[in-house]
Amino acid sequence: MAKQKILVTGGAGFIGSHLVRLLVNKYPDYQIVNLDALTYAGNLANLTDIEQKDNYTFVKGDIVDADFLDQLFAEQNFDGVIHLAAESHVDRSITDPMSFIKTNIIGTVNLLNAARKSWGDFEGKRFYHVSTDEVYGTLGETGLFTEETSYDPRSPYSASKASSDHLVRAYHHTYGMPIVISNCSNNYGPFQFPEKLLPLFINNIKHNKALPVYGDGKYTRDWLWVEDHATAIDVIYHEGKNGDTYNIGGHNEWKNIDIINLMIKIVDEQLGRPEGTSQKLITYVKDRAGHDRRYAIDATKVKDELGWMPSLQMEEGLTRTVKWYLENSEWMDNVTSGNYQQYYEQMYADRV
Ligand code: NAD
Ligand code: TYD
């Protein structure tokens, strides 16, 4: 691989930290610059094992600040951008859509503009936008999202990601910027902020707190081990076709209540509690507004064209995930102190 300087945005978040770790360790000749605003979801504790590496630099900054980005791009000669920085939680997008518009849409355009201004004729450059399958909307009992599925976003989060996908494609068609986009299903694994289903429930089971299951619990998600997402991004960044979109998924659909039951079993087992102890914590609560019923990805294209496939089965991945959260209680205690308590109170007070 030719030497490269890559800007990863959102590298202190959940998926970003796994990607930065992979790139820093796999490509010692590359320079990896991690730009992150360190919002509630960004945490440098996710990167302690690589922070001293020579090929890694952290820059604190906000992608909503266009002047800051222009200056950064003028100073650094980036060969590529892998853009993950975003507001990422659907429930927060329902209570505060504007912060999603700012970061996910305006922030993405600011990045595209900064890259365009500094990249001249685009020779050897690449802008990779990391996106979600939620842009496709919701599925019924059958069918899968393919790269040809029409966009039909239904939450402020997915609408903001759809909008940023469109803008990235527009910069490709209008200005000739080399781009690639991937739309991935739900990720799980270490370092995920405990607002998302799995880490929130693992933490609640540990503390014997209610497990707030939205609606009838039969909503379906297609789960992917986060390190598999990072390897997919690596392959697509290096080998994906200019201008193309790739769907990434685990071929691993679960109804929420089924994955919750499996998780309760694994957590109880690892805590040495008798089987079924934490079943009583399941609490059906008021549904999420506009809750998408089912997501499921057809990941044939990335497999056939680039040879990528998920590596881990769910039971193994979930066992590793639970083990990580239980062994890293300091990480969990740190991120659930302070503002998290207020968030939890606001989000769940009238639900549970
Ligand atoms: P996350 O919320 O854990 O991390 C987001 C990161 O972006 C944080 O480090 C945060 O500090 C940073 N950030 C937020 N606003 C910023 C700003 N204005 N300027 C600079 N940095 C900012 O999110 P995640 O789950 O790691 O998701 C990363 C990306 O992958 C997002 O674009 C998301 O839409 C996409 N995605 C996530 C999933 C999933 O299951 N989590 C699935 C598919 C796609
Ligand atoms: P989430 O982790 O928020 O991911 P997304 O909404 O992006 O798919 O939620 C996953 C599923 O779990 C979704 O169907 C909503 C449901 N859910 C609950 O039932 N209770 C909760 O407290 C949370 C956070 C999610």
Side-chain angles (χ1 to χ4, degrees):
M1 282 312 157
K3 283 186 186 178
Q4 290 206 33
K5 187 188 264 192
I6 302 176
L7 178 69
V8 177
T9 71
F14 166 49
I15 299 167
S17 60
H18 288 276
L19 176 68
V20 164
R21 178 173 298 101
L22 181 155
L23 296 173
V24 164
N25 288 328
K26 184 170 173 187
Y27 303 104
D29 287 346
Y30 285 19
Q31 282 298 319
I32 306 300
V33 179
N34 170 13
L35 166 64
D36 198 295
L38 299 182
T39 68
Y40 77 91
N43 188 350
L44 291 178
N46 300 355
L47 291 160
T48 44
D49 55 328
I50 55 132
E51 66 190 356
Q52 300 300 337
K53 298 256 183 177
D54 289 342
N55 62 340
Y56 172 72
T57 317
F58 174 71
V59 178
K60 185 169 188 286
D62 187 341
I63 59 168
V64 180
D65 183 345
D67 293 339
F68 159 75
L69 286 181
D70 288 348
Q71 201 180 329
L72 182 72
F73 274 76
E75 282 166 12
Q76 311 249 3
N77 191 17
F78 295 123
D79 299 293
V81 173
I82 308 182
H83 174 37
L84 295 94
E87 289 293 337
S88 69
H89 191 43
V90 174
D91 289 326
R92 287 185 196 254
S93 83
I94 295 167
T95 51
D96 176 22
M98 192 50 81
S99 58
F100 287 68
I101 307 306
K102 286 183 184 153
T103 290
N104 300 0
I105 305 178
I106 296 172
T108 300
V109 176
N110 286 341
L111 264 178
L112 289 163
N113 283 339
R116 186 177 156 233
K117 281 182 218 165
S118 78
W119 277 355
D121 65 3
F122 296 128
E123 184 58 40
K125 308 293 188 188
R126 168 153 280 196
F127 190 105
Y128 183 155
H129 185 229
V130 175
S131 192
T132 166
D133 62 353
E134 302 189 25
V135 299
Y136 297 122
T138 186
L139 291 164
E141 287 292 308
T142 58
L144 300 171
F145 296 135
T146 74
E147 287 81 359
E148 273 71 51
T149 303
S150 300
Y151 275 34
D152 184 22
R154 294 150 48 97
S155 72
Y157 165 65
S158 55
S160 69
K161 293 296 291 187
S163 175
S164 52
D165 287 5
H166 288 318
L167 284 156
V168 172
R169 283 193 195 97
Y171 273 62
H172 175 65
H173 293 295
T174 308
Y175 305 113
M177 182 181 284
I179 64 110
V180 67
I181 297 176
S182 57
N183 297 88
C184 186
S185 62
N186 286 61
N187 287 214
Y188 72 100
F191 300 117
Q192 187 169 33
F193 192 80
E195 62 191 353
K196 305 285 193 320
L197 178 73
L198 295 182
L200 187 144
F201 276 36
I202 293 169
N203 194 41
N204 282 14
I205 296 170
K206 183 180 162 193
H207 294 290
N208 284 307
K209 280 177 70 175
L211 303 175
V213 180
Y214 295 167
D216 66 0
K218 292 182 181 155
Y219 292 83
T220 300
R221 298 293 182 261
D222 174 0
W223 294 93
L224 181 68
W225 174 241
V226 62
E227 289 180 13
D228 283 334
H229 189 187
T231 62
I233 294 172
D234 175 26
V235 174
I236 293 168
Y237 176 79
H238 286 99
E239 294 168 36
K241 200 164 142 242
N242 182 22
D244 264 24
T245 292
Y246 295 87
N247 280 356
I248 308 170
H251 304 288
N252 184 33
E253 283 185 54
W254 288 76
K255 285 196 169 49
N256 290 343
I257 193 64
D258 295 334
I259 204 173
I260 289 164
N261 280 324
L262 175 59
M263 201 172 47
I264 288 172
K265 181 172 163 280
I266 295 172
V267 179
D268 277 346
E269 207 171 271
Q270 292 194 18
L271 287 173
R273 295 176 182 169
E275 191 171 340
T277 305
S278 303
Q279 284 289 334
K280 60 178 183 297
L281 299 175
I282 290 180
T283 311
Y284 286 92
V285 300
K286 197 173 121 198
D287 210 345
R288 171 186 282 173
H291 198 169
D292 287 337
R293 191 65 175 167
R294 175 172 165 259
Y295 304 141
I297 280 276
D298 179 346
T300 309
K301 178 178 172 182
V302 66
K303 173 171 169 276
D304 287 354
E305 289 188 12
L306 306 178
W308 176 87
M309 281 198 301
S311 73
L312 213 58
Q313 295 300 308
M314 191 66 189
E315 189 131 10
E316 164 73 11
L318 213 47
T319 302
R320 280 198 212 176
T321 302
V322 169
K323 187 165 183 289
W324 186 88
Y325 285 101
L326 296 182
E327 282 177 354
N328 289 274
S329 47
E330 199 180 328
W331 183 94
M332 184 59 99
D333 292 346
N334 281 337
V335 300
T336 53
S337 62
N339 290 342
Y340 182 81
Q341 298 302 329
Q342 209 183 330
Y343 163 80
Y344 201 90
E345 184 63 25
Q346 274 168 3
M347 197 58 80
Y348 292 98
D350 60 350
R351 275 195 162 126
V352 181

